């Protein structure tokens, strides 16, 4: 009983966190005109919010023994499976497009400013939903028909056993996890190489150490200049290493969060579908499903609130709501910093 209560509390807490965090990031993006450039981040928040409204409550019903009395008809179970596959596909595809977009406005900023238009962004959003719906329709093609019923806990992809299920799970894993993972790893590796090259090329040596204003041949002056140069060298190397380590840490967090949330989910379903005699469902499926659902609550922090501009706007709105005077440090105009500069500074 205790572990049931703890599990139910964690699921409700994740759902509330996803609701609040995604709404906050969406309001900030839509409130400030400059933040319209974050259209894919806003779209990710929309997908996460829809998942928190529909998927996560349905997941609570399917995962908790308190709702064993809930029975789905075949049509209702199809609707639940449709929402699961569609929202999961849309979320992962949006994350992939965000990574590609970041690559272009850091590595090719001029090309990004020219080609990244509202029309292209809308086309990207339409592509995400069309692909997600097509994948979901493919999953439901050979689903059972009739007037049967099943309990909420048994309404999963394993409800339709057979060769069709295996083909779908393999195709679903390739298109919605393996390919996006390759894209994300390749893109962020390229971003890291650019950030590392830029940090190694910058050597902030003071002008006094490189070119002293007054030429003096005295032994004392030469010793002073030489000492200053020697003391500066140990300081440069840690600065470069620190910038490189920050870039590594940032990229590891972004990629690691994606893999931690989705790798167990797809590995479990892929293994269960290709292994002969394996029956899906049960406690293992519930665990990997909620690990995947945690992505809906974590995404607004990694792709929204970690952004300096969004944090500053959030602090401004919070202080404005509390009727506190804004500090001088928050009076910096948002328009002074571009999206490209923000993320590059965040990496370095």
């Amino acid at each position: 009983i205790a572990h049931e209560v703890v599990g139910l509390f964690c699921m409700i807490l994740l759902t509330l966190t996803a609701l609040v965090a995604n709404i906050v990031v969406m309001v900030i993006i839509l409130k400030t005109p400059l933040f319209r450039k974050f259209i894919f981040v806003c779209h990710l928040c929309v997908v996460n919010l829809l998942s928190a409204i529909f998927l996560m409550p349905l997941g609570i019903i399917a995962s908790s023994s308190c709702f064993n009395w809930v029975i789905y008809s075949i049509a209702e179970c199809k609707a639940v499976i449709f929402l699961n596959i569609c929202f999961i596909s849309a979320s992962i595809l949006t994350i992939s497009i965000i990574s590609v977009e970041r690559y272009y406005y850091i590595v090719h900023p001029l090309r990004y400013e020219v080609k990244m238009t509202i029309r292209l962004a809308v086309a990207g959003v339409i592509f995400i939903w069309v692909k997600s719906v097509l994948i979901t329709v493919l999953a439901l093609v050979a689903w059972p028909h009739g007037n049967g019923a099943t309990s909420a806990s048994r309404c999963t992809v394993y409800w339709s056993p057979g060769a069709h299920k295996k083909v779908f799970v393999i195709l679903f894993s390739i298109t919605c996890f393996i390919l996006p993972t390759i894209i994300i790893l390749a893109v962020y590796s390229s971003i890291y190489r650019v950030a590392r090259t830029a940090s190694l090329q910058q050597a902030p040596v003071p002008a006094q150490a490189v070119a002293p204003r007054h030429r003096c041949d005295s032994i004392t002056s030469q010793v002073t200049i030489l000492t200053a140069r020697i003391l500066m060298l140990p300081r440069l190397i840690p600065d470069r290493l620190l910038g490189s380590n920050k870039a590594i840490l940032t990229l590891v967090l972004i990629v690691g969060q994606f893999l931690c949330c989705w790798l167990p989910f797809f590995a479990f379903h892929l293994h269960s579908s290709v292994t002969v005699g394996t029956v899906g469902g049960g406690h293992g499926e519930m665990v990997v499903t909620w690990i995947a659902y945690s992505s809906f609550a974590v995404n607004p922090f990694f792709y929204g609130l970690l952004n300096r501009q969004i944090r500053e706007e959030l602090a401004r709105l919070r202080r404005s709501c509390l009727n506190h005077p804004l500090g001088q440090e928050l009076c910096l105009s948002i328009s002074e910093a571009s999206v490209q500069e923000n993320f590059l500074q965040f990496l370095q």
Side-chain angles (χ1 to χ4, degrees):
I1 299 177
H3 75 275
E4 284 283 343
V5 174
V6 173
L8 184 61
F9 173 77
C10 292
M11 289 185 288
I12 294 175
L13 182 62
L14 269 178
T15 304
L16 294 177
T17 302
L19 286 170
V20 174
N22 285 288
I23 289 175
V24 168
V25 175
M26 283 177 56
V27 168
I28 294 174
I29 293 176
L30 296 176
K31 185 177 178 61
T32 306
L34 179 67
F35 289 167
R36 303 294 167 82
K37 289 186 176 182
F38 293 97
I39 184 169
F40 288 116
V41 176
C42 185
H43 178 259
L44 179 62
C45 291
V46 171
V47 176
N48 293 334
L49 185 60
L50 291 174
S51 302
I53 294 174
F54 295 104
L55 285 192
M56 300 179 85
L58 292 173
I60 293 175
I61 294 174
S63 303
S64 177
S65 60
C66 301
F67 302 97
N68 287 337
W69 51 271
V70 178
I71 302 297
Y72 290 147
S73 66
I74 289 182
E76 291 170 341
C77 187
K78 283 184 177 181
V80 172
I81 295 171
F82 179 91
L83 292 176
N84 266 279
I85 299 174
C86 187
F87 289 155
I88 287 174
S89 302
S91 178
I92 295 177
L93 292 175
T94 304
I95 292 174
S96 303
I97 290 184
I98 289 175
S99 65
V100 174
E101 183 195 24
R102 286 180 170 179
Y103 169 80
Y104 271 98
Y105 67 57
I106 290 176
V107 180
H108 304 290
L110 297 179
R111 187 183 305 175
Y112 172 83
E113 291 294 337
V114 172
K115 293 188 176 182
M116 187 58 194
T117 61
I118 296 296
R119 181 179 299 179
L120 181 61
V122 172
V125 172
I126 294 175
F127 166 77
I128 290 171
W129 284 107
V130 168
K131 186 174 181 179
S132 301
V133 171
L134 288 177
I135 293 174
T136 309
V137 170
L138 179 63
L140 298 178
V141 166
W143 233 251
H145 300 279
N147 297 320
T150 183
S151 63
S153 61
R154 296 180 61 85
C155 183
T156 68
V157 293
Y158 298 104
W159 191 36
S160 177
H164 174 267
K165 184 202 71 175
K166 295 181 180 181
V167 173
F168 164 72
V169 172
I170 294 173
L171 182 62
F172 181 53
S173 301
I174 293 175
T175 56
C176 292
F177 179 71
I178 296 177
L179 291 179
T181 300
I182 294 173
I183 292 173
I184 291 171
L185 289 174
V187 165
Y188 283 120
S189 297
S190 300
I191 292 175
Y192 165 70
R193 287 196 296 268
V194 172
R196 184 173 182 273
T197 302
S199 64
L200 292 177
Q201 289 177 349
Q202 294 176 356
V205 182
Q208 292 86 349
V210 177
R213 293 181 179 179
H214 301 286
R215 173 75 176 180
C216 184
D217 294 331
S218 66
I219 297 178
T220 304
S221 299
Q222 292 179 5
V223 170
T224 302
I225 295 172
L226 186 59
T227 303
R229 290 179 177 176
I230 292 175
L231 291 177
M232 184 59 62
L233 289 177
R235 228 175 289 161
L236 294 178
I237 297 176
D239 287 342
R240 293 180 179 180
L241 291 177
L242 181 61
S244 179
N245 290 336
K246 285 183 179 179
I248 294 175
L249 179 61
T250 301
L251 299 178
V252 167
L253 286 176
I254 293 175
V255 178
Q257 175 262 333
F258 177 81
L259 292 178
C260 288
C261 289
W262 294 110
L263 180 59
F265 178 82
F266 284 95
F268 176 85
H269 285 283
L270 194 59
H271 177 267
S272 299
S273 64
V274 300
T275 303
V276 179
T278 301
V279 179
H283 184 71
E285 184 179 4
M286 181 196 71
V287 171
V288 299
T289 299
W290 275 98
I291 291 175
Y293 284 176
S294 67
S295 174
F296 304 136
V298 175
N299 284 339
F301 293 95
F302 276 86
Y303 296 94
L305 296 179
L306 279 182
N307 187 285
R308 176 176 55 84
Q309 293 173 314
I310 294 179
R311 288 201 312 273
E312 288 179 357
E313 182 65 15
L314 177 62
R316 190 187 68 80
L317 292 177
R318 180 177 61 83
R319 296 198 178 194
S320 177
C321 293
L322 296 176
N323 293 323
H324 289 315
L326 290 177
Q328 191 67 28
E329 69 277 5
L330 294 179
C331 295
L332 177 65
S333 173
I334 298 296
S335 60
E336 294 180 4
S338 64
V339 181
Q340 306 94 302
E341 180 187 35
N342 175 72
F343 185 68
L344 185 57
Q345 288 177 353
F346 178 61
L347 279 180
Q348 292 180 340

